[in-house]
Amino acid sequence: MAEVTLHVEGMSCNHCKMSVEKALKNLAGVTGATVDLGAKTARVTYDAGKVDIEAMRKAVSDAGYEVK
C-alpha cells in the first residue's frame, strides 16, 4: 500500500469534506481517505497497482474541488 497527501482547495464545510472523501473512496484501489478541513489536505491510502494520483486528482476535480 502507498500513501499520499493531496492539498485540496475550495473546501469550506463538513459537506465539502465528506464530498472529497467519498470521491476518493469510490475509486477502485483506494483503501482509505481522510480529509483535514483545516489543513486543506486529503491523506489517501491506495494500491498503486490499481489507481494513480492523476485519477485521484480527477475524482476530486469532478467533485468540484481543486488539487494543488
Side-chain angles (χ1 to χ4, degrees), residues 7-64:
H7 297 279
V8 182
E9 294 292 326
M11 299 184 298
S12 61
C13 63
N14 278 332
H15 180 267
C16 298
K17 173 186 182 290
M18 293 182 339
S19 293
V20 171
E21 286 178 349
K22 182 178 177 183
L24 291 166
K25 288 178 180 177
N26 281 341
L27 291 172
V30 171
T31 58
T34 305
V35 172
D36 182 330
L37 190 58
K40 297 182 180 178
T41 60
R43 187 170 56 196
V44 186
T45 307
Y46 64 102
D47 180 340
K50 294 183 179 178
V51 66
D52 61 16
I53 293 172
E54 274 309 308
M56 294 178 213
R57 287 178 184 271
K58 183 174 181 342
V60 172
S61 177
D62 288 350

